[in-house]
Amino acid sequence: MKIYVPLDSAAVALGADAVAEAIVTEAARRGVTIELVRNGSHGMVWLEPLVEIATDAGRIGIGPMTVADVPALFGGIARHPKALGLVENLPWMKGQTRLTFARVGVIDPLSLADYRAHGGMVGLDRAKAMSKAEIVAEVTESGLRGRGGAGFPTGIKWKTVSEAPGERKYIVCNADEGDSATFADRMLMEGDPFTLIEGMAIAGLATGAAKGFVYIRSEYPVAIRIMEAAVRLAREAAILGAQFDIEIRVGAGAYVCGEETSLLNSLEGKRGVVRAKPPLPALEGFMGKPTVVNNVISLASVPVILAKGAAHYKDFGLGRSRGTIPLQIAGNVRFGGLYETAFGLTLGQIVDDIAGGTATGRPVKAVQVGGPLGAYHPRSDFATPFGYEEFAGQGGLIGHAGLTIFDDSADMLAQARFAMEFCAIESCGKCTPCRIGAVRGVETIDRIAKGDAAAIPLLTDLCSTMKSGSLCALGGFTPYPVLSALTHFPDDFTPAKEAAE
Amino acid sequence: MLDSADLSDRIAEIIADHQGLEGPLLPILHAVQAAFGHIPQPAVPQIANALTLSKAEVHGVVTFYHDFREAPAGRHILKLCRAEACQAMGADRVAGAIKAALGIDWHETTADGRVTLEPVFCLGLCACGPAAMVDGRLVGRCDASVVLEVSA
């Protein structure tokens, strides 16, 4: 009997470890031999812990599992009160186009044999037979853009590093996934770490870099453990070694280190302060050497692009947003989790159809798209197709593709205040608009809350200074949530005293 | 407790373990904190000396990052997520109840040294909020009863 119990952080946070332990105990008590696989998550967080049992017909899902549901697993799975049928046939799974996440939830994350059996290493093997310029051309042709949020074409960045003079170059994977509502990097590293390793090895071939770093935030202990184990296994299998090696580094709780230059300073052992650009990290990055800094999902999308060809990847998507995007649907949501699909679904399709609205059953008031620096969108924006330019056109951004759903109990003035408070806490302190602007922003919003309408133009003016005067996206984009809340939900910013009068 | 000679020996060992790395300061600080629960004051000049940095530079790094603490924490560390996805599920309300139950605010430790309460901005558990971390263990859909886990 082969049983899968996820080791994914979300599953563990909902009791997966206790369920796994109970399964082992119950099997021993009944004298049943089992093979327990700790896999990644399929991304259906409302069903976690989602246990699967392998059958001749495929993998039957049972969830959300509790310890009390364990004994019934051994009495005919189809009759289990929480049996869901074949996982691959669930509507959430059938609706997706899983390219980057094809193996996540399916394979044993730390089995190279399983990885290869599901198409792993095909991309790297192909890249080994190509020239540097051919690899770069393939990635450029795919249309892949930085999935961390900035949306810069990955192939162009690689070309710059590839052609930069110098013996020593680096590949740095940005796994400092600090945006609320995002967990795609975490799920990928926990569920299919070899894909990231393969993507980084291909980046090494394309640029001539011999060393890679994965900078993982300290808030992700499971991802750190799995990535460290995967790197060891890859070294033993000679996938990593003299030609290209990877080191795992752990962050220390600073949100701003998700910004690439701040991350590089942190890697070098300095305060995570933002660097002015130019010079671009592609020319003077880690230790002043040419450096590719890419997000986890950008790098993890490269193996499938090399394996299936740029055209296959590029065929998905709309406009200048090519390929697929792992949507992370979070907050007050009925069906939350990870949903990989081609760019182009509308916000309304994602929130109402896929996510099924709120967990509380109350109406959706706002959806914050793109993390703490993304705009709050009202229902009137629901026709916007999911793409980089399309969201920019609505005064927003897609960022790392996280969506936080709020019901009608949300107070948008409080959300705007939090955006400024968060910026003040996490500001690296280098530039004035961010360091001081965020503090003044909190004070100004407090004045508005007390009924001082004259503070509203002051807030918009402050936001414009922060937007155009900040060094990086932290100060520069904090105005997105603040101004979108103010613009779309003006009632929440009208003086409380009116209600009292 | 270690005496100062033991402390300095242990820190020297940690430094030696990491000195081959490119940019070893954060890995060293993580290892020191793992060994002692905080960054003991004498570690700062010792690390600075070994890495040919100024004390101010090492102190600057220790104080820049939220993770590094200059004094020991309580016996338990309770981290509650304050970020937007958890807010949408009532994290502020849960945090308020927990603060009231413990009688402390963020970054404080109960008078009996039992528990330190820390805010965290995202644990990546955004579809099962509010999220918490109790002594390194992840908790999804947490409510105020999570304080019972740090009662001993």
Side-chain angles (χ1 to χ4, degrees), chain A residues 9-10 13-14 45 170 178 180-181 183 186 211 213 217-221 247 249-253 266-272 287 329-332 368 372 376 404-406 415 418 421-422 426, chain B residues 21-27 30 53 57 59-61 63-68 79 81-89 92 120-129 133 136-141:
Chain A
S9 293
L14 297 171
V45 176
Y170 295 94
S180 179
F183 41 84
R186 176 184 67 65
K211 179 75 185 278
F213 290 97
R217 57 201 303 264
S218 62
E219 293 86 346
Y220 282 0
E247 196 179 316
R249 286 290 176 91
V250 179
S266 183
L267 261 188
E268 290 180 8
K270 300 172 184 160
R271 294 160 65 87
M287 300 294 180
I329 313 175
N332 190 335
Q368 186 178 30
Y376 285 100
T404 304
I405 298 173
F406 290 81
Q415 295 309 127
F418 176 79
E421 184 192 358
F422 180 68
E426 296 298 334
Chain B
L21 299 179
E22 296 173 279
L25 184 51
L26 259 68
H30 275 305
L53 297 169
E57 282 170 308
H59 175 76
V61 170
T63 51
F64 181 87
Y65 296 95
H66 300 305
D67 281 3
F68 300 129
K79 295 186 178 187
C81 180
R82 284 194 63 203
E84 288 87 345
C86 287
Q87 289 169 22
M89 290 303 285
D92 289 345
V120 60
F121 294 98
C122 198
L123 293 164
L125 305 174
C126 319
C128 54
M133 196 188 247
R137 196 175 61 80
L138 298 166
V139 183
R141 292 189 204 113

